[in-house]
Amino acid sequence: MSAAFRGMALGLAISLMPACSILPKAEPADVYRLPVAVTTPHNGPSLPWTLRIGKPQASDALNSPRIAVIPQGDLISSYKGARWSDPAPVLLRNRLLDGFISDGRVRGVSNDDSTVQGTFELGGELQAFQTEYAAGGVSVHVRLDARLVDGRTQHILASRRFEVSQPLTSTAVPSVVAGFGQASDRLTAQVVEWTLAQAAVAPKNQ
């Protein structure tokens, strides 16, 4: 057998080796959604305007399915073997969407995945969506810099920072996920009331 033939045979054998013997296996992960919110519809008349809710902007650390945690100082990490069903901005947008729909006062609510336009648009920046360790204990932090915009002119009508801290009694991932659900519900309730109040006083000739 010539040296050239032996080289070709060796190359073919290597190319046929199972990929799992060369590439590392992907780490399995549990996929979590935000717990389903329990809400009570508002008993009031339907308002004569519509709302489009956009995904808030976020840093690369938060615009990800990873469940973010700050174990100390300014170090941003994530829980091993666990991730969200969607990136954090999508989770919060969908929570806000559910909050407005469940409240029932806004005539029509849509999100930015559709081409439907709204009388008003709600967006902003997601500044925090993580668990934080501190001397006083562990808590979930959600912070949203919200903006309400005129859907036709794109003029900013109002803006406000919403921040919620939800203490945790356990650092197990299911308990952490439950804390994110509670924090998101509290923030959503605040955003709904603020949006309705700002829309009520918005200039009608925008």
Side-chain angles (χ1 to χ4, degrees), residues 79-154:
Y79 289 91
K80 185 177 181 180
R83 66 180 180 87
W84 292 120
S85 57
D86 291 290
V90 176
L91 292 178
L92 186 60
R93 180 204 64 184
N94 292 346
R95 195 57 148 216
L96 292 169
L97 182 73
D98 288 344
F100 279 98
I101 292 175
S102 297
D103 179 84
R105 281 177 284 179
V106 179
R107 183 180 64 189
V109 186
S110 62
N111 65 38
D112 58 348
D113 284 341
S114 72
T115 58
V116 176
Q117 301 300 308
T119 310
F120 301 105
E121 296 180 4
L122 179 66
E125 287 81 37
L126 182 59
Q127 302 289 358
F129 198 83
Q130 70 247 354
T131 304
E132 296 183 8
Y133 283 69
V138 187
S139 58
V140 167
H141 287 264
V142 180
R143 184 166 68 248
L144 174 69
D145 289 342
R147 284 193 304 273
L148 187 65
V149 175
D150 185 289
R152 183 173 61 86
T153 67
Q154 293 299 297

Side-chain angles (χ1 to χ4, degrees), residues 2-206:
S2 67
F5 183 81
R6 287 197 300 272
M8 291 174 59
L10 179 60
L12 178 62
I14 292 174
S15 68
L16 294 177
M17 290 177 66
C20 62
S21 64
I22 300 173
L23 301 176
K25 293 183 179 179
E27 179 186 339
D30 294 325
V31 180
Y32 289 90
R33 65 177 185 176
L34 281 179
V36 177
V38 178
T39 57
T40 302
H42 190 277
N43 294 322
S46 177
L47 298 171
W49 49 268
T50 58
L51 179 68
R52 188 170 189 252
I53 303 175
K55 290 183 291 290
Q57 299 296 312
S59 66
D60 289 342
L62 295 181
N63 191 20
S64 163
R66 294 187 296 271
I67 304 177
V69 55
I70 299 181
Q72 59 180 357
D74 296 321
L75 174 66
I76 300 178
S77 185
S78 60
Y79 289 91
K80 185 177 181 180
R83 66 180 180 87
W84 292 120
S85 57
D86 291 290
V90 176
L91 292 178
L92 186 60
R93 180 204 64 184
N94 292 346
R95 195 57 148 216
L96 292 169
L97 182 73
D98 288 344
F100 279 98
I101 292 175
S102 297
D103 179 84
R105 281 177 284 179
V106 179
R107 183 180 64 189
V109 186
S110 62
N111 65 38
D112 58 348
D113 284 341
S114 72
T115 58
V116 176
Q117 301 300 308
T119 310
F120 301 105
E121 296 180 4
L122 179 66
E125 287 81 37
L126 182 59
Q127 302 289 358
F129 198 83
Q130 70 247 354
T131 304
E132 296 183 8
Y133 283 69
V138 187
S139 58
V140 167
H141 287 264
V142 180
R143 184 166 68 248
L144 174 69
D145 289 342
R147 284 193 304 273
L148 187 65
V149 175
D150 185 289
R152 183 173 61 86
T153 67
Q154 293 299 297
H155 291 164
I156 297 176
L157 302 174
S159 60
R160 178 181 161 183
R161 170 166 289 184
F162 295 89
E163 188 165 8
V164 170
S165 179
Q166 178 67 42
L168 299 176
T169 57
S170 170
T171 57
V173 174
S175 296
V176 169
V177 169
F180 273 102
Q182 294 169 330
S184 298
D185 287 343
R186 290 170 53 197
L187 184 137
T188 295
Q190 295 175 21
V191 172
V192 168
E193 294 301 328
W194 173 78
T195 301
L196 297 179
Q198 296 303 317
V201 298
K204 301 301 186 293
N205 58 348
Q206 286 285 331

